[in-house]
Amino acid sequence: MHVLERAQFDTLLEALQQHGRQVIGPVRRDGVIGYEPVRSAGDLPVGWADEQEAGRYRLHHKDHGRLFDYTAGFHTWKRYLYPPTAVLWQASRDNGRLSFETPSETPPKFALLGVRACELHAIAIQDKVFLDGAHPDPAYAVRRNNAFIIAVNCGRAGGTCFCASMETGPRAQGGYDLALTEVAEDGRHYFTVEAGTKKGERLLDELELREAIEAERAAAAAAVEAAANQMGRQMPVDGLRELLAANPESPRWEAVAKRCLCCANCTMACPTCFCSTVHDSAAMTGETAKRERVWDSCFTMEFSYVHGGSVRKDASSRYRQWMTHKLSSWHDQFGSSGCVGCGRCITWCPVGIDITEEAWLLQEAHGGPTRTGE
Amino acid sequence: MAKKTQGSQRPKLAVWKFSSCDGCQLSLLDCEDELLDVAGAVEIAYFPEATRAVVKGPYDVSLVEGSVSTPEDAQRIQHVRRQSRVLVTIGACATAGGIQALRNFANVEDFTRAVYAMPEHIEALSTSTPISYHVFVDFELRGCPINKTQLVEVIGAFLLGRRPNVPTYSVCVECKRRGSPCVMVAQGIPCLGPVTQAGCGALCPAYNRGCYGCFGPMETPNTAACSAQLQALGMDDPQLTRVYRTFNAWSEAFRRESEIHDA
Ligand code: SF4
Ligand code: SF4
Ligand code: SF4
Ligand code: SF4
């Protein structure tokens, strides 16, 4: 374990840039912290912390000068690895001859700065979706394979976080090139740094950082420990997978449908949701055409459209699809939960529908554990 | 390709105006590059906003802007329908009655007396209604004003004989794809995005404003749940009635929700 002083932080960013990388990290704008291009430490949300609740997000400024005191950002890293809109192919007709081409633009080599433990798990889940199997997704693969990941261990948990109950955080357990832990106490401000890959080690060597002393290691460990004890929420995972599979007719689905807008914000905000649709378009002259892929959601009518109409007509069946996929059938499909406990679907639901609350209500309605532990 | 009416080389496109502000027709003129393609692909047969030349009907595709708000409108739309193979309505006036449908909630004579010096010369129906109340409509393109990219898509789709790709889901989908922070959640600003159909690219939230509902109700609008949240953000009943009563006031879902809060 090494130590990067706060005053040296720009040397890390400069090293990444010298390697031809575009650094994407936390940036404050329009009242939120999102993930956007970062040039220097001055672009980071120095001293800003978020307050998250169901359907509510606010930022507050503090004097501690921390760079990473916010929790899960407004954006997700999928925005960069699996962009919301991507051209899959273009076609043109020249003297009656049709030719197809794949888009030629090469995406930047990203360095993703500030990836949280839950987000590392989310990236691993999307890797499984897009890279495993016979037909890896080329658009995802090129972005993902070129990305350098700098994780940040959480020193504080947010109001809608529940990674502890999903066993995905708050400490990064792998899937990063470098992992930082921020410590700001007793007049000092530094980061402990660990490498997770050879690429990470090489960058560490270049930075020529000193080894951490015992007191620094202990301070970093204590910071992450504190976050684990601050979880805003808890997911009642015991038996949940089976319970969801067994209760497609639960009266809970009608109950939540009364509040659900079918607006799709939850799926768009979720770091693991991967659904997309394709649109074909042609120029009026019929000389050129293209196929684009855009993010889609199981909350739209078109998503379940088969000949004659949509299969999931009402909100109850759409909310059930979302929640059952995340917490039950995802296990069957990909061998893990589809939820990493980041809390975004709770925070960014305009009406504050809470997936953990819905899970508790389902458990309680069908003989599972109760919140009072009875 | 769309079937061509007899005697014409290219399909004939007509643009018609009813009670409206011309903003939607101007969207077509605003498609500089695409318009050249449109002009190459179709014969612009009747488009008083752009040309004085009139080519006789029948027409392959008619774009209709505006609502029916006078006795003359009500007759003329029948004539347009008879001459049009495909009839597409464009904009909030044509698809929902427009802002002038506010009269539907009141007594139109009170308005004419208040606005005009000689109200006896005004011949207006007591309601402003969408074109689909009067004739069969092949496709409705929403928006106040319409989105020009969607307009080109619709014209192109009818010319090539395929279904137009015009999503009916919420504005929130576009808002999130665009990466704009939700103004409801992050700033407590009331937004109609969750109950409004996409099409504008989530323009207002990108500039820290709530959605005004220009594209009318989305496919499955849960206006009751949306209103409950707007109330939680501080809106009272009169304000709620007002947010639903703008350009798409007479659309079924917005009209009903506005009436619930109109004591
Ligand atoms: S389901 Fe919700 S809490 Fe779970 S990963 Fe997705 S957004 Fe995060
Ligand atoms: S929850 Fe819905 S949008 Fe998300 S991955 Fe599953 S089906 Fe797709
Ligand atoms: S759960 Fe919330 S965010 Fe998701 S579709 Fe329903 S209202 Fe929208
Ligand atoms: S700002 Fe409005 S349109 Fe955008 S996500 Fe929020 S509620 Fe939806």
Side-chain angles (χ1 to χ4, degrees):
Chain A
M1 191 178 277
H2 292 75
V3 170
L4 176 74
E5 296 293 336
R6 163 65 182 90
Q8 292 175 291
F9 202 85
D10 274 328
T11 60
L12 170 64
L13 299 178
E14 283 157 16
L16 292 163
Q17 282 151 358
Q18 270 158 25
H19 287 273
R21 296 193 172 278
Q22 181 180 33
V23 182
I24 307 293
V27 171
R28 180 176 67 95
R29 85 157 156 111
D30 298 331
V32 307
I33 288 167
Y35 301 154
E36 296 190 27
V38 166
R39 278 166 305 274
S40 70
D43 293 340
L44 300 173
V46 181
W48 288 93
D50 49 23
E51 170 207 331
Q52 300 198 32
E53 259 313 313
R56 186 182 155 87
Y57 181 108
R58 293 291 184 279
L59 287 177
H60 302 287
H61 192 260
K62 303 205 174 128
D63 292 330
H64 55 41
R66 286 172 181 266
L67 306 186
F68 298 99
D69 202 35
Y70 65 93
T71 58
F74 164 67
H75 292 132
T76 56
W77 304 104
K78 79 177 176 185
R79 180 155 211 93
Y80 296 93
L81 302 177
Y82 163 51
T85 307
V87 177
L88 299 182
W89 52 253
Q90 287 155 322
S92 54
R93 184 160 42 198
D94 201 6
N95 279 329
R97 272 211 21 229
L98 208 55
S99 61
F100 290 85
E101 50 186 281
T102 46
S104 50
E105 54 90 48
T106 36
K109 279 168 66 188
F110 293 121
L112 307 181
L113 170 67
V115 183
R116 305 309 176 113
C118 60
E119 298 176 325
L120 293 169
H121 280 268
I123 292 172
I125 286 172
Q126 290 216 323
D127 285 352
K128 193 154 224 174
V129 173
F130 289 120
L131 301 180
D132 283 9
H135 304 287
D137 183 85
Y140 183 86
V142 57
R143 291 169 171 82
R144 175 70 177 97
N145 295 333
N146 282 331
F148 187 93
I149 293 185
I150 302 150
V152 167
N153 287 312
C154 289
R156 184 176 76 81
T160 56
C161 291
F162 56 101
C163 63
S165 51
M166 302 313 289
E167 298 180 7
T168 54
R171 166 175 287 285
Q173 293 143 329
Y176 54 80
D177 295 296
L178 290 180
L180 312 180
T181 307
E182 182 168 33
V183 180
E185 55 186 27
D186 305 331
R188 285 201 57 210
H189 191 174
Y190 60 92
F191 299 84
T192 59
V193 192
E194 290 158 277
T197 58
K198 284 265 172 311
K199 257 195 298 183
E201 273 169 25
R202 279 199 298 275
L203 196 82
L204 259 190
D205 289 346
E206 275 178 48
L207 292 173
E208 297 180 352
L209 303 177
R210 70 169 168 82
E211 285 282 333
I213 59 169
E214 190 47 42
E216 289 163 339
R217 287 167 190 270
V224 185
E225 189 64 32
N229 294 325
Q230 283 175 0
M231 287 294 137
R233 280 169 164 69
Q234 190 198 347
M235 177 66 88
V237 283
D238 280 350
L240 189 58
R241 175 183 175 186
E242 296 74 20
L243 184 124
L244 282 161
N247 287 289
E249 305 296 338
S250 171
R252 287 300 317 154
W253 303 125
E254 288 299 335
V256 69
K258 289 211 166 59
R259 296 172 59 210
C260 177
L261 302 161
C262 287
C263 64
N265 270 302
C266 47
T267 52
M268 299 275 147
C270 178
T272 68
C273 274
F274 54 80
C275 286
S276 63
T277 184
V278 291
H279 295 158
D280 293 346
S281 58
M284 199 75 73
T285 55
E287 292 304 301
T288 58
K290 68 177 178 203
R291 172 167 292 180
E292 271 179 316
R293 174 171 79 182
V294 295
W295 287 357
D296 198 10
S297 165
C298 54
F299 279 96
T300 72
M301 285 288 267
E302 204 187 7
F303 187 90
S304 68
Y305 185 91
V306 291
H307 177 75
S310 288
V311 175
R312 299 190 196 105
K313 280 201 176 52
D314 40 32
S316 61
S317 58
R318 284 184 251 167
Y319 190 86
R320 177 182 65 198
Q321 158 63 24
W322 138 263
M323 188 171 174
T324 307
H325 192 206
K326 291 277 115 170
L327 298 166
S328 181
S329 52
W330 205 291
H331 287 276
D332 310 326
Q333 203 180 359
F334 300 111
S336 75
S337 169
C339 172
V340 298
C342 73
R344 283 185 178 84
C345 57
I346 306 172
T347 300
W348 297 104
C349 172
V351 294
I353 293 175
D354 176 346
I355 194 169
T356 64
E357 169 81 8
E358 294 307 316
W360 279 111
L361 290 168
L362 266 165
Q363 290 276 28
E364 286 161 3
H366 301 283
T370 62
R371 271 168 286 194
T372 50
E374 281 147 26
Chain B
M1 269 295 196
K3 265 191 254 119
K4 288 159 199 151
T5 42
Q6 271 183 339
S8 154
Q9 296 306 308
R10 293 166 294 163
K12 279 196 268 182
L13 176 82
V15 185
W16 307 89
K17 177 184 156 60
F18 286 78
S19 298
S20 61
C21 76
D22 287 16
C24 289
Q25 290 190 57
L26 289 174
S27 296
L28 183 58
L29 283 177
D30 193 26
C31 305
E32 299 101 6
D33 297 342
E34 300 88 343
L35 193 63
L36 291 174
D37 283 352
V38 175
V42 301
E43 183 180 1
I44 305 215
Y46 187 77
F47 189 6
E49 190 76 50
T51 163
R52 283 172 186 225
V54 174
V55 180
K56 280 182 73 148
Y59 308 101
D60 294 282
V61 178
S62 275
L63 302 177
V64 177
E65 177 199 87
S67 69
V68 172
S69 76
T70 66
E72 191 258 331
D73 286 342
Q75 281 178 3
R76 195 159 53 96
I77 191 60
Q78 301 295 338
H79 166 78
V80 169
R81 176 70 265 189
R82 276 196 298 276
Q83 297 194 80
S84 310
R85 211 173 54 75
V86 169
L87 190 155
V88 176
T89 52
I90 59 171
C93 301
T95 60
I99 191 77
Q100 59 274 28
L102 287 179
R103 74 169 69 154
N104 304 4
F105 299 94
N107 182 349
V108 72
E109 280 168 20
D110 293 344
F111 285 132
T112 42
R113 269 198 302 273
V115 174
Y116 297 102
M118 287 187 273
E120 61 277 14
H121 294 304
I122 300 299
E123 227 189 307
L125 295 171
S126 61
T127 56
S128 167
T129 48
I131 300 298
S132 62
Y133 276 32
H134 303 269
V135 295
F136 175 77
V137 171
D138 294 274
F139 190 83
E140 295 191 309
L141 184 64
R142 305 270 199 87
C144 184
I146 53 168
N147 169 322
K148 63 178 191 177
T149 314
Q150 284 195 334
L151 178 62
V152 171
E153 162 63 17
V154 168
I155 297 173
F158 278 104
L159 290 178
L160 295 168
R162 64 175 171 80
R163 195 169 68 107
N165 175 14
V166 174
T168 54
Y169 47 59
S170 70
V171 173
C172 301
V173 173
E174 293 184 321
C175 197
K176 280 281 181 294
R177 280 192 199 135
R178 182 175 185 144
S180 303
C182 175
V183 299
M184 285 251 257
V185 171
Q187 303 184 52
I189 298 174
C191 180
L192 284 184
V195 292
T196 301
Q197 179 169 306
C200 62
L203 194 58
C204 289
Y207 293 92
N208 292 304
R209 286 163 173 266
C211 166
Y212 293 97
C214 307
F215 281 64
M218 54 86 95
E219 54 196 14
T220 55
N222 187 346
T223 49
C226 187
S227 297
Q229 189 63 19
L230 298 182
Q231 266 164 337
L233 294 178
M235 278 197 164
D236 59 15
D237 277 327
Q239 286 172 316
L240 279 170
T241 299
R242 225 170 296 132
V243 291
Y244 290 106
R245 282 191 191 163
T246 60
F247 327 104
N248 289 284
W250 200 244
S251 65
E252 176 74 5
F254 288 1
R255 176 175 64 76
R256 263 191 293 121
E257 191 62 28
S258 79
E259 282 166 353
I260 288 170
H261 301 280
D262 191 15

